[in-house]
Amino acid sequence: MPSNSSALRATTLLVVEDDRALLDALRPALETVADDLVTAGTVSEALAALAAQQPEIVILDLGLPDIAGADACRAVRAETGSPILILTARSSGGEKVKLLDAGADDYVTKPFATDELLARVRALVRRSRAAPAGTMAPATIIDGDLEVDLREGTASRGSVPLKLTRIEWAILRALASQPGRTFTHRQIFDAVWARPYGNPSQYLRVYMTHLRQKLEREPANPRFLITDPGVGYRLEVPPRREDA
Amino acid sequence: MTPADAGTTSATKDLPPAPFQFNPIVGWLVWVAVFGAFWISCISVRPHIEQVHAVLGFLLVVLGAAATSTRRLALTLAIGGALAINLSFEEPYGTLFVHKALDALILIGFLAVALLATQLVSTARRQAAVARRRAAEVEQLASERIRLMAENEHAVMLQEAARAKDALLAAVSHDLRTPLTTIITLADQAAARGETGSVSIGREATRLSHLVENLLEYSRVHAGAWPVRLDTTIVEDVLGAVASEVRSRIDDHPLSVRAQPGDPLLAAMLDEALAVRILANLVENAAKYAPDGSPISLEALADGDHVVFAVTDAGPGIPVVEREKVFEAFYRGERAAPDVGGVGLGLAIARALAELQLGTLTLAGTGVSGTRMEFRVKRATIEEPPPLAA
């Protein structure tokens, strides 16, 4: 694994973008994060490209001429397991929920800074390499005197053990399966509760509050358990000391 | 004229006129008078006429009454007619005795014909009245339906207009954002190559995109094209989301975040994304106008059946004369430094978004020093999972 994260590159990057000018402008920047750049101007071209070769990351613009919006995302998701990064002109919470539920991994709202786009691509590469399907990454969350061992199911602050309930562990593990990725409320229910259960949306908020009370130093100004307003929750794992 | 009036008028206008009918009292007076006059005149010419003439005459009177007055009057006159025939035209006169079998037959025949005819006429009249009423009702329903259809058409048109506006705004925003992204990307790359001037291009394009964004949001709020999803939300969720969103954008201002002490489950009825947007905007405003390094505080407190989110800075404050003006569109403070970007829409949009959540956004405090903005929404109760499930 490369020690410097800014050197992280995707092997193949598929960019689905119909605006020539934007594609030409992005090309030199994207070539710094991918060995091989494949482009497509429509969803059907993208599907043909996916049939020929599976890229490591897909960047998908939502304003394509043949299929628009979340349907485009669903069509691409059906053909690949690789992370999908969405470029979108809209930014409402409802739109984001739809995209994430349709299988997107992350989204960037236009207009964006080049650095931000590249950082998102690198984060997706790092995430997909660190967590091949099913495994849990990371095994532990360590921040100051807080230590959470997700595999063992133990947590402590200093020498004081913290007691998490079964559901709190399940939520934490679901979020930890892909740190930095926002999970919609629905995705969290699906991971934690196998069947319909009470008022899940409100219960989830209550469980998250309990988790923050236990794990965060300042629950109202959290460091790990981050709310993506109107969309869902994500776990931000603080950089490990040995990495820093 | 109300639509209901219009319905009745047009209904009576299009139907055939109702048959003539006396007012009940007038009917009684007129027909009893006719009956009496006929009877007396018949008696006076009795030697010259035959019994059948009198019978036919009384029958006509009964039928006339049945056609123009009440059924009860006609029945009364029928019985009266039978008595009059018996008394005055069947021997022996002046008694109710009947000597000839044929006379009895005539009497029974008269009564039967008079009663039957009265019954038929009044039934026909009743049915005609019902039919007329139905026709009027149908007419009224039809005009009501036309009115409703017109109203519905109007509502559909308004809806279409709102949808068209929304679609237009979405298209404009997409068509502006994509080229702006291209410009910003090219400027970023040119700046990375060390080309002088490209930094300004990037900065100006970013500023332009903020302006476009603000104008679009302002028009969306005013077009009523902003979807709002009110939901019971934990206040701490909102505070945390604001804090993590603004952290990288407020430079060296220390941000303190404070939730209602002792009540981590304090909840409010709001749209989480909109609430975070308002508060993030307020915190960024504070960072923009307050002196470098000065602290900003973000807090949420329960206040009766409301929750108040407050953003306080240690900046110059807002003069009393400007306190309401700052919420007006396109207003920029007298003291605002010319290099502070924006067109003066931020607070107008924030207030409109607060109102969309049935809340308020106001300026609190004395205005002497520091600014305290309060976003107030309805308090709510979050539904807690049953203890065993945890």
Side-chain angles (χ1 to χ4, degrees):
Chain A
M1 211 191 216
S3 57
N4 183 356
S5 68
S6 64
L8 205 57
R9 289 162 71 88
T11 48
T12 312
L13 179 64
L14 170 63
V15 187
V16 192
E17 170 61 69
D18 66 317
D19 189 288
R20 271 303 339 157
L22 180 56
L23 186 60
D24 289 344
L26 287 175
R27 192 183 288 273
L30 290 175
E31 276 168 353
T32 67
V33 289
D35 296 333
D36 193 6
L37 206 60
V38 180
T39 61
T42 60
V43 173
S44 37
E45 278 178 40
L47 297 183
L50 286 171
Q53 182 188 14
Q54 281 288 320
E56 196 176 358
I57 304 282
V58 179
I59 295 180
L60 176 64
D61 189 301
L62 279 198
L64 296 171
D66 54 348
I67 305 179
D71 289 337
C73 181
R74 223 167 279 125
V76 170
R77 173 48 78 218
E79 295 303 316
T80 181
S82 304
I84 300 174
L85 174 63
I86 302 284
L87 306 183
T88 170
R90 296 193 187 176
S91 55
S92 80
E95 188 78 10
K96 290 174 187 168
V97 172
K98 253 186 249 163
L99 291 174
L100 294 180
D101 280 339
D105 290 78
D106 201 356
Y107 45 78
V108 183
T109 308
K110 291 182 200 172
F112 46 79
T114 315
D115 286 348
E116 191 193 347
L117 177 70
L118 300 184
R120 302 289 183 105
V121 173
R122 284 193 206 100
L124 286 179
V125 173
R126 190 179 313 120
R127 213 191 282 166
S128 72
R129 287 186 187 166
T135 63
M136 202 187 300
T140 55
I141 303 169
I142 298 174
D143 183 55
D145 58 354
L146 176 77
E147 262 195 74
V148 181
D149 188 324
L150 291 159
R151 269 186 211 143
E152 296 294 318
T154 57
S156 63
R157 182 175 294 286
S159 56
V160 185
L162 302 170
K163 193 156 165 37
L164 271 59
T165 65
R166 191 174 52 78
I167 285 180
E168 287 164 7
W169 278 117
I171 293 173
L172 196 57
R173 287 194 176 110
L175 296 178
S177 68
Q178 292 190 49
R181 171 180 176 160
T182 296
F183 289 84
T184 65
H185 291 183
R186 183 189 299 177
Q187 287 168 337
I188 301 174
F189 311 145
D190 289 350
V192 175
W193 292 283
R195 58 205 155 79
Y197 167 64
N199 186 339
S201 175
Q202 299 209 7
Y203 290 0
L204 179 57
R205 290 185 187 280
V206 174
Y207 289 129
M208 288 304 292
T209 307
H210 290 328
L211 265 176
R212 285 203 187 106
Q213 294 290 325
K214 290 175 187 176
L215 300 184
E216 296 280 0
R217 246 179 214 294
E218 276 188 82
N221 190 2
R223 289 170 57 91
F224 331 115
L225 298 164
I226 308 297
T227 305
D228 197 335
V231 181
Y233 293 100
R234 65 177 191 272
L235 179 72
E236 292 287 359
V237 178
R240 299 281 298 269
R241 256 163 291 168
E242 54 267 36
D243 293 347
Chain B
M1 188 153 84
T2 69
D5 293 338
T8 339
T9 328
S10 68
T12 43
K13 188 174 64 201
D14 296 344
L15 287 172
F20 172 79
Q21 180 157 22
F22 285 117
N23 164 299
I25 297 166
V26 176
W28 275 84
L29 292 174
V30 167
W31 286 111
V32 169
V34 169
F35 181 90
F38 178 70
W39 190 3
I40 291 163
S41 55
C42 275
I43 291 171
S44 63
V45 297
R46 189 157 56 193
H48 313 291
I49 61 167
E50 286 179 36
Q51 188 192 25
V52 66
H53 296 133
V55 168
L56 277 176
F58 281 115
L59 205 53
L60 279 174
V61 172
V62 171
L63 287 178
T68 59
S69 190
T70 64
R71 181 161 158 262
R72 187 172 301 179
L73 173 63
L75 293 176
T76 309
L77 292 179
I79 291 162
L83 287 172
I85 291 165
N86 189 343
L87 282 171
S88 308
F89 303 101
E90 288 181 352
E91 289 170 351
Y93 298 140
T95 71
L96 290 176
F97 291 109
V98 178
H99 282 177
K100 288 185 261 181
L102 189 65
D103 282 353
L105 206 60
I106 286 173
L107 205 56
I108 291 167
F110 167 80
L111 208 54
V113 170
L115 294 178
L116 203 64
T118 302
Q119 198 62 36
L120 284 175
V121 169
S122 70
T123 304
R125 278 179 45 166
R126 207 168 45 238
Q127 280 171 354
V130 169
R132 288 176 54 77
R133 208 161 47 235
R134 290 239 173 93
E137 276 168 16
V138 165
E139 191 83 2
Q140 192 169 344
L141 284 179
S143 70
E144 182 78 356
R145 198 176 128 83
I146 288 167
R147 188 178 64 85
L148 286 178
M149 273 166 61
E151 268 176 17
N152 194 30
E153 220 164 273
H154 185 61
V156 168
M157 265 167 56
L158 284 182
Q159 225 168 34
E160 287 294 318
R163 201 173 306 145
K165 235 185 258 175
D166 196 22
L168 177 70
L169 289 174
V172 168
S173 101
H174 179 264
D175 290 352
L176 285 171
R177 277 166 169 152
T178 304
L180 278 170
T181 311
T182 308
I183 295 170
I184 292 170
T185 306
L186 289 172
D188 281 355
Q189 287 163 11
R193 285 194 301 270
E195 286 175 27
T196 49
S198 57
V199 177
S200 317
I201 297 176
R203 195 180 51 223
E204 290 306 301
T206 307
R207 201 162 84 93
L208 183 60
S209 84
H210 287 317
L211 292 185
V212 165
E213 215 57 44
N214 269 336
L215 285 169
L216 285 171
E217 284 179 353
Y218 184 72
S219 11
R220 273 179 72 195
V221 170
H222 284 265
W226 202 307
V228 180
R229 292 179 307 166
L230 292 183
D231 196 11
T232 303
T233 309
I234 291 183
V235 165
E236 214 178 76
D237 258 348
V238 175
L239 293 176
V242 174
S244 53
E245 197 160 313
V246 299
R247 205 170 284 148
S248 62
R249 286 187 252 154
I250 55 171
D251 302 328
D252 53 353
H253 293 274
L255 176 70
S256 72
V257 187
R258 215 159 60 86
Q260 171 79 27
D263 186 7
L265 290 180
L266 176 67
M269 186 53 75
L270 46 77
D271 179 315
E272 192 176 44
L274 290 190
V276 169
R277 190 186 185 90
I278 293 171
L279 293 168
N281 183 257
L282 293 179
V283 173
E284 284 171 49
N285 255 356
K288 210 153 63 175
Y289 292 103
D292 289 351
S294 63
I296 299 170
S297 121
L298 167 66
E299 58 188 332
L301 297 164
D303 179 17
D305 54 0
H306 285 87
V307 171
V308 180
F309 293 91
V311 175
T312 314
D313 67 34
I318 294 174
V320 177
V321 287
E322 288 185 38
R323 313 208 85 195
E324 266 311 301
K325 285 194 192 155
V326 293
F327 293 104
E328 285 170 14
F330 305 108
Y331 182 80
R332 298 202 52 201
E334 316 259 322
R335 292 195 232 154
D339 62 332
V340 176
V343 275
L345 278 176
L347 285 177
I349 295 171
R351 176 172 265 188
L353 293 182
E355 284 163 3
L356 280 183
Q357 298 169 81
L358 313 178
T360 57
L361 178 63
T362 52
L363 196 52
T366 59
V368 174
S369 75
T371 302
R372 182 181 171 86
M373 287 285 187
E374 291 190 348
F375 167 44
R376 178 180 286 263
V377 276
K378 272 264 180 226
R379 190 173 173 173
T381 308
I382 193 100
E383 193 180 325
E384 286 191 65
L388 276 180

